[in-house]
């Protein structure tokens, strides 16, 4: 402040010799500066006031961590009470009070949401998201409850569309037997076997190369010699599967405790648990919903496999077997769902022959 | 109406079509697009995300969006619906076990309002594989005849491996879109 005074003094002194125009401009300048400073101070004051107001608002103001935990406990408490009220209402179907009860619960869910909103400025974003999620879950269960308890409302709302939907369902039912006739033509394959050794040879000279299916096998050993276009595998438990090259792709679903030695252009692995794959593959293998799967290089031999691999365009080892994409793990770090088989745990090269073709 | 005519004019100038390719995983979407574009199809990894290809086809520019079909990423298909002129649904005709899945996903897709105006081409792929269902059989399983009457659709058998049927399918699709958007000049 004192410096401004001095400045003003200096100006007034100077004013005597200055022209009027100049004098006015100097005066406004100093006034502006003073105003600015005042505004700035005001702003700081308002900020600090707001901050202390916020701090005193939250029940525990000592640190953000503690306010987070107190929020969480408060949130959990009211969430629990809402849930129990929903459960109670479901049991005690006292029709006269249902509407008011529903409205009450709905308003307490709204309160819960506004609590989240009010606390959102100090909560970690994860907590905000998860609490909003549970609030919307509560809303949904309330909605389903109200549609259960107040069917009348729903009915009147849907009267127009309901006949058409039932008609549709009937139509679908009529169509499904037709589907069954289509399904009669099943693809060739091994199905529903238990403790067996299953061998099949595909002659590459014959034009009947097609698809092959392995489905619902338990404790079996499967040997496929020769090439096929496509291989479908599903529902295998505790099996060992050795296959010659697949020209197209392999699709696996729902396999557990199995060992696969396979060569293919593409391979997709869904819902595999505790399985070892020894692969030669031209593109990146992918896994989805899988756990504990391990990968190693292809190690199969039978008479004429070299020609078959060549025919399928799989004669070269591209090392792609180790480039696995996990569709449920889109981060830069290694997925916990798969690993490369340690060399000392890999099986030795497997040699198969067509003895006992089935 | 004013906005619509402006959009029509812009589209007419550019002669662009936006085509969305979807279908279950392993149906051959990426292979089809690469084959159409005359690229090598021997090394294709399952699509994690999506690919965009711009192909000049006849006098039109096709922007083809090839979106991955794995179960975990199907929920993202909706992000690509906007302004789709043509929808290509690819079916693996040799995958008999998942035809129900295929029907379910297609039905869900066709409920989508943003796709209501788009032409639908169903490609019954992998016809080269012995034992694959014919396009007629696929059409029956998918119950295509019961589709909304306002939808322009067609099913074509094809093989992305040999390239057979692809041009036939896309010829129809492009003509159908052109007749809707450009009123054929």
């Amino acid at each position: 402040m004192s410096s401004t005074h001095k400045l003003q003094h200096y100006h007034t002194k100077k004013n005597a010799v200055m022209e009027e125009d100049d004098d006015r401009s100097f005066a406004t300048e100093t006034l502006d500066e003073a105003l600015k400073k005042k505004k700035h101070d005001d702003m700081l004051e308002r900020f600090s006031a707001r901050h202390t107001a916020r701090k005193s608002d939250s029940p525990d103001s000592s640190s953000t961590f503690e306010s987070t935990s107190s929020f969480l406990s408060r949130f959990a408490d009211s969430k629990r009470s809402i849930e129990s009220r929903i459960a109670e209402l479901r049991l005690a179907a006292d029709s006269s009070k249902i509407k008011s009860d529903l409205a009450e619960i709905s308003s307490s869910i709204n309160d819960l949401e506004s609590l989240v909103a009010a606390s959102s400025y100090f909560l970690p974003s994860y907590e905000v998201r998860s609490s909003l999620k549970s609030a919307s879950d509560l809303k949904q269960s309330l909605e389903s409850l109200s549609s259960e308890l107040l069917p009348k409302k729903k009915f009147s709302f849907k009267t127009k569309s309901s006949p058409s939907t039932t008609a549709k369902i009937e139509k679908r039912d009529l169509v499904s037997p037709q589907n069954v006739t289509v399904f009669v033509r099943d693809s060739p394959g091994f199905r529903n076997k238990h403790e067996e050794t299953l061998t099949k040879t595909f002659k590459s000279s014959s034009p009947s190369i097609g698809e092959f299916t392995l489905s619902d096998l338990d404790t079996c050993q499967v040997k496929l010699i020769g090439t096929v276009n496509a291989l479908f595998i599903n529902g295998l438990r505790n099996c060992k599967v050795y296959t010659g090259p697949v020209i197209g792709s392999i699709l696996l679903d729902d396999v557990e405790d199995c060992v696969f030695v396979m060569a293919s252009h593409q391979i997709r692995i869904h819902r595999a648990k505790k399985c070892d794959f020894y692969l030669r593959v031209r593109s990146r293998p992918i896994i989805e919903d899988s756990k504990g799967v391990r990968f190693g290089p292809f190690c199969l031999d039978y008479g004429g496999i070299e020609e078959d691999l060549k025919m399928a365009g799989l004669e070269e080892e591209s090392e792609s077997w180790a480039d696995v994409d996990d569709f449920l793990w889109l981060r830069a770090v290694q997925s916990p769902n798969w690993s490369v088989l340690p060399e000392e745990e890999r099986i030795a090269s497997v040699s198969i022959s067509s003895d006992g073709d089935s | 109406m004013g906005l619509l005519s402006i959009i029509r004019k812009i589209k007419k100038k550019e002669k662009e079509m936006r085509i969305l390719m979807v279908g279950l995983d392993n149906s051959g979407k990426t292979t089809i697009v690469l084959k159409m574009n005359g690229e090598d199809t021997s090394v294709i990894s399952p699509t994690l995300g999506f690919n965009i290809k711009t192909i000049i086809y006849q006098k039109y520019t096709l922007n083809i969006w090839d979106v991955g079909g794995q179960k975990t990423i199907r929920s993202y298909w909706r992000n690509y619906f906007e302004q789709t002129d043509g929808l290509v649904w690819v079916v693996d005709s040799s995958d008999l076990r998942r035809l129900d899945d295929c029907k379910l996903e297609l039905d869900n897709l066709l409920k989508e309002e943003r796709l209501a105006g788009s032409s639908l081409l169903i490609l019954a792929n992998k016809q080269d594989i012995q034992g694959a269902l014919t396009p007629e059989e696929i059409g029956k399983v998918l119950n295509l005849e019961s589709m909304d009457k306002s939808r322009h659709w067609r099913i074509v058998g094809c093989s992305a491996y040999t390239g057979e049927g692809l041009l036939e399918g896309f010829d129809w699709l492009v003509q159908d879109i052109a007749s809707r958007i450009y009123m054929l000049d």
Side-chain angles (χ1 to χ4, degrees):
Chain A
M1 270 299 168
S2 64
S3 66
T4 348
H5 275 304
K6 248 185 208 165
L7 218 67
Q8 258 167 345
H9 184 63
Y10 169 72
H11 286 318
T12 32
K13 253 181 138 182
K14 226 178 169 191
N15 280 349
V17 282
M18 283 274 178
E19 282 180 47
E20 240 188 313
D21 265 5
D22 270 358
D23 167 40
R24 207 174 291 150
S25 76
F26 268 117
T28 40
E29 221 166 79
T30 40
L31 203 68
D32 271 358
E33 244 160 67
L35 247 170
K36 241 186 229 165
K37 178 132 175 62
K38 171 108 175 52
K39 261 190 185 165
H40 184 70
D41 288 343
D42 278 356
M43 193 173 66
L44 283 180
E45 208 168 283
R46 255 181 287 136
F47 271 138
S48 71
R50 208 176 290 167
H51 189 63
T52 44
R54 263 184 196 159
K55 271 197 157 172
S56 57
D57 242 11
S58 55
D60 222 334
S61 56
S62 52
S63 80
T64 44
F65 171 72
E66 275 185 31
S67 50
T68 303
S69 62
S70 79
F71 162 80
L72 285 178
S73 71
R74 234 173 104 189
F75 183 85
D77 281 346
S78 39
K79 187 185 160 210
R80 224 172 294 132
S81 87
I82 292 172
E83 275 170 347
S84 66
R85 275 163 71 193
I86 289 178
E88 266 171 41
L89 198 57
R90 181 162 277 152
L91 290 175
D94 181 9
S95 55
S96 58
K97 267 180 66 194
I98 281 175
K99 251 186 186 166
S100 64
D101 280 356
L102 284 174
E104 220 171 85
I105 295 174
S106 160
S107 84
S108 51
I109 293 175
N110 283 341
D111 289 349
L112 194 64
E113 270 184 329
S114 52
L115 170 70
V116 177
S119 318
S120 65
Y121 80 94
F122 66 78
L123 284 177
S125 61
Y126 171 77
E127 304 294 0
V128 174
R129 246 184 299 142
S130 64
S131 19
L132 284 177
K133 169 85 173 61
S134 28
S136 79
D137 284 350
L138 283 176
K139 262 188 183 164
Q140 218 154 39
S141 58
L142 181 68
E143 254 170 50
S144 70
L145 177 68
S146 72
S147 66
E148 254 174 57
L149 296 180
L150 302 168
K152 213 176 176 186
K153 198 179 170 191
K154 192 114 188 174
F155 179 68
S156 68
F157 194 66
K158 272 208 153 179
T159 35
K160 263 193 174 166
S161 60
S162 58
S164 69
T165 49
T166 48
K168 242 184 203 165
I169 289 163
E170 272 168 37
K171 213 174 175 185
R172 271 203 192 135
D173 286 345
L174 283 176
V175 171
S176 57
Q178 218 176 346
N179 288 357
V180 174
T181 55
V182 176
F183 276 72
V184 168
R185 200 176 85 210
D186 235 340
S187 67
F190 296 130
R191 293 180 171 81
N192 300 310
K193 305 279 189 199
H194 186 73
E195 287 184 22
E196 281 183 51
T197 298
L198 307 158
T199 310
K200 176 96 181 162
T201 304
F202 304 95
K203 289 173 187 69
S204 50
S205 54
S206 72
S208 64
I209 305 175
E211 58 186 300
F212 201 75
T213 301
L214 306 177
S215 166
D216 302 305
L217 306 179
D218 187 3
T219 325
C220 289
Q221 194 174 42
V222 183
K223 305 172 192 174
L224 304 180
I225 295 171
T227 57
V228 290
N229 277 123
L231 185 62
F232 297 101
I233 297 174
N234 66 282
L236 263 57
R237 297 286 177 272
N238 191 27
C239 290
K240 290 184 166 55
V241 179
Y242 311 109
T243 72
V246 177
I247 296 168
S249 65
I250 299 175
L251 187 66
L252 278 118
D253 188 16
D254 185 24
V255 291
E256 211 174 320
D257 296 313
C258 295
V259 175
F260 297 91
V261 183
M262 307 190 291
S264 176
H265 273 252
Q266 281 192 337
I267 180 158
R268 293 174 171 83
I269 299 163
H270 303 157
R271 295 193 290 157
K273 263 189 215 142
K274 287 181 277 168
C275 290
D276 288 351
F277 293 88
Y278 297 86
L279 303 177
R280 176 173 296 173
V281 53
R282 286 293 295 267
S283 56
R284 302 167 72 98
I286 71 132
I287 61 171
E288 201 177 52
D289 299 319
S290 298
K291 263 208 167 82
V293 288
R294 303 189 295 176
F295 293 84
F298 188 61
C299 55
L300 186 69
D301 195 25
Y302 60 78
I305 193 171
E306 292 304 325
E307 290 90 79
D308 284 348
L309 284 169
K310 211 170 194 169
M311 200 197 109
L314 287 162
E315 67 274 25
E316 272 171 57
E317 177 55 76
S318 60
E319 305 281 339
S320 301
W321 57 267
D323 295 329
V324 181
D325 279 330
D326 183 350
F327 273 60
L328 281 178
W329 192 265
L330 306 176
R331 302 181 211 180
V333 288
Q334 164 72 30
S335 154
N337 300 323
W338 71 274
S339 58
V340 171
L341 266 160
E343 265 180 59
E344 62 276 13
E345 285 181 48
R346 290 178 194 169
I347 54 171
S349 180
V350 182
S351 193
I352 56 174
S353 65
S354 54
D355 295 342
D357 226 41
S358 53
Chain B
M1 242 9 217
L3 182 61
L4 195 64
S5 57
I6 290 169
I7 291 170
R8 277 216 176 104
K9 260 183 208 157
I10 292 170
K11 286 223 170 184
K12 192 165 185 168
K13 221 185 206 168
E14 294 169 351
K15 298 239 184 252
E16 270 191 4
M17 293 179 181
R18 186 181 152 112
I19 292 178
L20 179 64
M21 300 253 301
V22 275
L24 299 192
D25 49 313
N26 198 38
S27 55
K29 296 175 290 295
T30 307
T31 312
I32 288 174
V33 177
L34 293 186
K35 192 82 186 176
M36 291 271 298
N37 208 25
E39 290 177 54
D40 177 32
T41 57
S42 66
V43 185
I44 297 173
S45 292
T47 308
L48 213 176
F50 65 94
N51 308 307
I52 314 172
K53 271 268 174 304
T54 303
I55 296 179
I56 308 290
Y57 192 84
Q58 298 167 356
K59 51 188 172 176
Y60 303 103
T61 304
L62 308 187
N63 290 322
I64 303 183
W65 294 68
D66 157 32
V67 188
Q70 295 301 141
K71 200 169 204 163
T72 38
I73 57 177
R74 280 178 212 162
S75 53
Y76 298 104
W77 285 354
R78 65 177 77 241
N79 299 347
Y80 302 89
F81 289 165
E82 222 65 63
Q83 292 174 354
T84 295
D85 299 310
L87 188 63
V88 181
W89 180 257
V90 185
V91 183
D92 177 354
S93 312
S94 67
D95 188 356
L96 307 178
R97 195 174 71 88
R98 293 199 303 167
L99 281 174
D100 286 341
D101 270 7
C102 178
K103 176 171 170 43
L104 193 84
E105 294 287 356
L106 177 62
D107 287 348
N108 281 338
L109 201 67
L110 296 182
K111 277 182 211 144
E112 183 59 45
E113 231 168 278
R114 283 174 289 171
L115 295 173
S118 56
S119 310
L120 171 65
L121 169 66
I122 295 146
L123 288 175
N125 192 22
K126 306 203 186 181
Q127 290 296 320
D128 58 290
I129 295 183
Q130 181 86 21
L133 293 184
T134 63
E136 292 74 38
E137 287 170 310
I138 297 280
K140 248 181 232 166
V141 175
L142 297 181
N143 202 7
L144 297 178
E145 291 300 336
S146 70
M147 219 181 322
D148 197 343
K149 292 282 173 278
S150 62
R151 168 86 62 186
H152 294 211
W153 67 274
R154 185 175 225 191
I155 183 163
V156 174
C158 74
S159 161
Y161 187 65
T162 63
E164 223 181 302
L166 294 182
L167 291 184
E168 186 196 337
F170 275 85
D171 273 345
W172 172 81
L173 185 67
V174 168
Q175 285 312 313
D176 191 75
I177 296 169
S179 61
R180 277 192 300 115
I181 300 179
Y182 309 119
M183 311 287 188
L184 272 185
D185 30 24

